[in-house]
Amino acid sequence: MNVGPNEKRREDALKNALIQIFYTDTIGSCHVENAVEFLRPIPNEKIGQILRLVRLISGSVSDLLAFSFMENCSKALEYLDLDQMEEWVTKALSIYEAQGLHPATEFLSRPHETALSFGNSKRVATLEDVAGKLSILASGLTERTIRFEPSNTPFTDGETVYLPRTFSRFRNLEENLLFLKISAIHKISQIRFNSFLAPKDILIKLFPELDELKSEVDRPGIVHLLNILSERFKKTDILNLYSLIETIRIEKRLEEDFNGLKRDLFSFKNNLLKSIGPENSLMGNDAISQIGRFILMNYDPKFLPKDKSLRGYVKRLLKRNSTNIDSLNTLKFLLKNQNVINTLPLKGPFFYVGTINLSKLEIKILERRKKLEKKFVEILGALIVKNQCKGPLKKELEKASKDLKNTPSITDDIDSALAMVFQKGHCKDKKDSFLNCEHIILHENQDLLEKLKGVGREIMEDLGKIPSSYVSSTLDLATGYYDPTLLLDSKKEEAPSFLFFSYPEWDFRRGDYRENWCTVKEMHSNRASGNFIETTLRKYKGQVETLRRQFELMRQDFMCEKRQKDGQEIDIDAYVEAYTDLKARLSPTERLYYRLKQDRRDIAVLFLVDMSASTEGWVNQAIKESLVLLTHAIELVGDQYGIYGFSGMRRTGCQYFIIKDFNEGLTNTVKERIIGITSRDYTRMGPAIRHSTNKLKEVEARIKILLVLSDGKPEDYDEYKGPYAIEDTRMALFEARQYGVKPFCITIDKEARSYLPRLYGAANYIFVPDVRLLHKRVPEIYRVLTT
Amino acid sequence: MESDQRLSSFFISKKPFYLPVGNEIELAEIAYSHCLPLLLKGPTGCGKTRFMEYMAWRLKRPLFTVSCHDDLSTSDLVGRYLIKGGETIWMDGPLTLAVKNGGICYLDEVVEARKDTTVVIHPLADDRRKLPIEKLGIILDASKEFMLVISYNPGYQSVLKDLKPSTRQRFIAIDFRYPDEEHERKIVEIEAEIDHGLSANLVKLGRMTRRLKEQGLQEGASTRLLIHAGKLIKSGIDVNLACEVAICQPLTDDEELLNGLKEMIKAVF
Ligand SMILES: Nc1ncnc2c1ncn2[C@@H]1O[C@H](COP(=O)(O)OP(=O)(O)O)[C@@H](O)[C@H]1O
Ligand SMILES: [Mg+2]
């Protein structure tokens, strides 16, 4: 390593000091070299104090712990001043006393977490500080749910924004918080303004010389392109260059649309300018420096690149209608003029721009592509099924499906794709159609159509077209599709202690039930012990307290019953009416009183918990936590409730688990069954719902609610999937309503599925994308539903 | 004479400002010409009431609006006897007035009313178009001009309050949602009498708040709330404060959501 004479002297001094401290046979000289390396970043004015602490640790307890301290002390200094550092060390020593070397080392090895409670954390901005607010802002900006996760360098994979867990490079907290915010906004804008998606055709046109681009047609366009370019131009940091160019485009767009963010960007750039030292010369005349300068100077026209052609490209980026293609064009220009490219001297101040992680992006883009295809097929399928009531349409569809398969042509846009499907039979808002419809004309189709268009637009951003296969596979699904021949289960499970029930299933293709199609086996759920309940109640202490207040209020609801035959007070309205009736020679009513009575809530709720394999892990844990909090709260109100779980495999193997029967109290056995809830097999929802309805039928209550907690779609091992499963579930819910049961579904999933409104009815479900919020959401939903 | 005067107050003489967003005017006119009752579905504050005022003006019919609540009784709709100077006189309720005078009866937020109250509208809603008045012992026939309109908010999640299918199925439904960005900007601009830029920002904010369903915000800011904020700002109140009190606070009490909403305000203004 290249070290100046001063450095050398300092190093020798350090070495000497360390040898004095550790002068024993156990410490070899290579360890000392390591230690010098650890201490190199410590500024001179602090090194004395640090060495004192090293001596303290090694002298009083352990050399190994002292090494661990040295290894981490430069990091810890980011959070602590020297006084606080001493406290931090004292804490480590006491951990050593109490628990031994390993926990103490562990404590010291996480300065970013353990040091925070010691203090000058006042300056340190943490991701937790900002993530909550920013994720809400991010939803507003992108119409998606965006998560935040820690990482050393900022980047995004298109769904999650990765940011440093803590940041403290600026002088005060405010500036550090602003850094995290601006960096987050930059990532969010890459998503909002589409930095990473472009149809391949366009890119091939833009870079016709790159033959590789034409191969591997399915790789996401921009990711593939950037990969190829990085290979070709090894000396240039293509990814950073592209990010930098995109920065102009996306920040400019942000500034135009959001005054507040514009101000934030302005003060952020000021902070940056203040913080970069003279060695970070902004004076370069190469293209990158010119671009960097323009960004740092907050797009002051005075700092537009001097180079005339470059200026043209940059000006194009400033236009409102610029796209990522303009950025790629600029990139292409810069790469052609190799001479304007050196390295990137500006990495320091542009830390906030972060990096691009091509492999993570690619994974997410491909995942998203699949999801969008599925969504598209689902919505289109739902639309078709809805419009299927008339027989001839089905024939039309089958024909359209065949035609589509025979023409390799690509459907160019959504409208024409839709036109193919809906040419016939679609009820338009034409005047005379009103007269044909005897019933209400609900515009639910409109809703679905709009969603379909939205999904279509997202697909186009990536692929530039809707592949015809998307449409034809929908048609398959909606018409002939799955072979209904079933693998018949030969062996029937028999166990005397189980109860068996048999239920029909709705086959929407035939428009009829399959009688006695499913067998439901009812049994008690497994028990498990442990302190899960206590831990959960402790973990959410604050929430438990709030719930107690809210739920006690519910119990004390008073209701004023008007127009009663007897009661505490005279009902003035009724009295006046009776009096006037009398005068008008009508026979007056006798119901002249009102009664204040404690509202007998008279509610029975059945919780139906999805115990399918897909709930394994976090979801299962969250469901259990929610049940603990909820049961705790309901006990205060005194509503009747039962908890049941379901899973199983195949129509003859539906399982229904009793966790808490309606007539059971919240006993220890019940608690153990809650703890014992585990994930099992598949999700055949129909039979479980039908069985629950039967259970509710036997309960006496004015209001009966069936609350389903599940993590997504009904699906079994056999043909029970897609529209078949959805339509059967829908029918089961419909049957429940016929018996006066109000179904409501809580769906835990990362993304709202388009079939949910069809399945549950728009107002009868809620969708919780973040399982970490489930424990909050469930009791809240219960409260809203029953008041 | 007196009743004439009373009646005339239900006509809307000045053209209300209503900016059509889709084909809702056309649909309502078709329903009217075919004597079909109308159901306006949509979130609160998206222009349903204003639309009916406009339609009443356009069709030149008196408008009788009833805001429904769970204490609403059949007498409140149909009418009752009152005592005046020792005598009883019959006083028509809004529904009866509308039927007698060929007007429009608009039952706002109909799910709020108890079911036994709303049964009186059933014979009016189907092709009988009759209103029985028990106390008078008569049955009124509605004229061709009479129109029944009800509104409700489908986003409402209390399962205890839902429209009975047998009621729903008699109606022609118009789906109201918040106007698209362009229209909403214009509406807020005109209604709050503010400049284009400010209204554009308010609408931008409003639309951002409507994307938080997954974060736990059932309903985002309505057009009405945006107009309120606009008016406050126009009267000289600081933008941030105005948005906070007129938009954020009415939407939620949740601390985390409030912080997020404030972050949105800070970003937009
Ligand atoms: N299309 C529109 N044209 C004009 N004003 C509108 C329109 N939509 C909404 N508004 C404004 O929004 C406000 C709230 O609408 P309102 O009709 O009271 O809502 P709702 O009855 O749906 O709850 C109205 O006072 C009006 O100022
Ligand atoms: Mg209204």
Side-chain angles (χ1 to χ4, degrees), chain B residues 1 40 48-49 51 60 81 104-105 108-109 133 141 148 166 168 171-172 183-184 195 217 240 246 268:
Chain B
M1 185 64 220
L40 311 181
K48 299 184 294 295
T49 304
F51 173 66
K60 302 197 174 51
Y81 280 107
I104 300 172
C105 184
D108 202 359
E109 295 292 351
I133 305 179
D141 281 306
L148 179 67
S166 61
R168 284 173 65 131
F171 288 81
I172 292 288
H183 282 104
E184 194 168 21
D195 67 57
L217 194 66
N240 281 286
V268 172

Side-chain angles (χ1 to χ4, degrees), chain A residues 579-596:
Chain A
Y579 182 70
T580 49
D581 281 355
L582 206 60
K583 283 260 177 183
R585 291 171 211 288
L586 293 168
S587 61
T589 173
E590 295 159 16
R591 299 176 169 274
L592 294 174
Y593 299 89
Y594 74 77
R595 230 180 345 206
L596 256 190

Side-chain angles (χ1 to χ4, degrees), chain B residues 186-206:
Chain B
K186 214 161 177 184
I187 294 167
V188 174
E189 185 180 334
I190 294 175
E191 283 285 295
E193 301 176 41
I194 53 179
D195 67 57
H196 184 76
L198 177 57
S199 111
N201 278 337
L202 284 170
V203 170
K204 199 179 297 158
L205 178 66

Side-chain angles (χ1 to χ4, degrees), chain A residues 36-259:
Chain A
V36 169
E37 202 53 42
F38 293 148
L39 297 180
R40 191 195 299 284
I42 310 280
N44 273 336
E45 69 273 14
K46 295 189 178 160
I47 199 76
Q49 276 284 43
I50 295 290
L51 285 173
R52 190 179 67 76
L53 290 172
V54 173
R55 193 176 300 119
L56 175 76
I57 301 171
S58 98
S60 61
V61 292
S62 137
D63 284 351
L64 286 173
L65 195 61
F67 266 86
S68 174
F69 168 69
M70 286 189 285
E71 189 175 352
N72 295 298
C73 67
S74 75
K75 189 93 200 285
L77 272 178
E78 281 182 26
Y79 313 99
L80 300 174
D81 62 24
L82 288 170
D83 288 343
Q84 292 156 340
M85 179 81 99
E86 184 147 0
E87 281 177 50
W88 186 58
V89 167
T90 314
K91 172 80 182 173
L93 291 178
S94 70
I95 291 178
Y96 182 92
E97 296 265 292
Q99 303 169 39
L101 175 65
H102 188 68
T105 320
E106 217 266 330
F107 175 85
L108 288 175
S109 70
R110 293 180 294 126
H112 53 284
E113 288 159 25
T114 55
L116 279 181
S117 53
F118 285 87
N120 204 8
S121 40
K122 271 184 220 137
R123 184 168 66 103
V124 183
T126 68
L127 185 54
E128 288 92 74
D129 293 338
V130 293
K133 290 190 283 190
L134 287 183
S135 74
I136 288 172
L137 182 59
S139 296
L141 288 172
T142 61
E143 295 189 54
R144 298 193 203 169
T145 307
I146 292 188
R147 256 167 273 272
F148 289 85
E149 298 282 344
S151 132
N152 287 332
T153 340
F155 72 94
T156 179
D157 61 13
E159 276 178 13
T160 302
V161 167
Y162 293 86
L163 287 179
R165 181 188 287 276
T166 59
F167 191 82
S168 57
R169 285 195 202 170
F170 292 131
R171 288 164 315 173
N172 57 45
L173 178 65
E174 208 177 300
E175 292 183 1
N176 288 322
L177 283 173
L178 186 60
F179 169 89
L180 285 182
K181 176 170 174 184
I182 294 293
S183 189
I185 296 281
H186 190 280
K187 303 299 109 201
I188 294 166
S189 308
Q190 285 177 326
I191 300 172
R192 174 180 165 116
F193 298 118
N194 231 345
S195 276
F196 305 118
L197 286 181
K200 205 123 193 202
D201 307 354
I202 298 181
L203 299 182
I204 291 175
K205 260 186 226 143
L206 195 61
F207 289 88
E209 69 280 9
L210 298 179
D211 288 330
E212 305 98 296
L213 199 54
K214 290 167 204 147
S215 64
E216 300 184 71
V217 275
D218 284 338
R219 292 194 67 183
I222 289 191
V223 171
H224 195 189
L225 175 68
L226 292 177
N227 246 329
I228 295 170
L229 290 177
S230 297
E231 281 292 311
R232 286 238 173 151
F233 299 89
K234 286 220 167 68
K235 274 193 235 137
T236 313
D237 193 337
I238 294 288
L239 301 184
N240 278 336
L241 189 52
Y242 178 63
S243 296
L244 205 63
I245 297 168
E246 273 284 90
T247 302
I248 299 181
R249 183 177 76 91
I250 62 183
E251 288 192 345
K252 198 64 198 169
R253 290 282 294 278
L254 271 183
E255 291 197 356
E256 261 171 35
D257 287 352
F258 299 94
N259 293 334

Side-chain angles (χ1 to χ4, degrees), chain B residues 116-139:
Chain B
D116 56 326
T117 304
T118 43
V119 286
V120 296
I121 66 174
H122 287 201
L124 268 175
D126 59 27
D127 50 14
R128 288 173 286 172
R129 288 171 63 81
K130 283 182 192 313
L131 174 65
I133 305 179
E134 230 173 279
K135 287 204 173 140
L136 297 178
I138 56 171
I139 297 178

Side-chain angles (χ1 to χ4, degrees), chain A residues 384-385 387-404 420-425 475-476 478-480 509:
Chain A
I384 293 172
V385 169
N387 287 276
Q388 213 173 20
C389 31
K390 296 184 191 76
L393 183 64
K394 189 172 163 183
K395 293 224 172 64
E396 294 281 341
L397 287 173
E398 278 162 358
K399 193 167 153 290
S401 168
K402 268 200 204 113
D403 289 352
L404 259 177
M420 294 187 87
V421 181
F422 293 109
Q423 271 157 349
K424 306 270 156 63
L475 295 175
D476 283 351
T479 52
R509 295 162 303 192

Side-chain angles (χ1 to χ4, degrees), chain B residues 2 34 39 64 71 204 227:
Chain B
E2 192 191 359
H34 286 103
L39 164 65
F64 302 89
D71 225 15
K204 199 179 297 158
I227 294 169

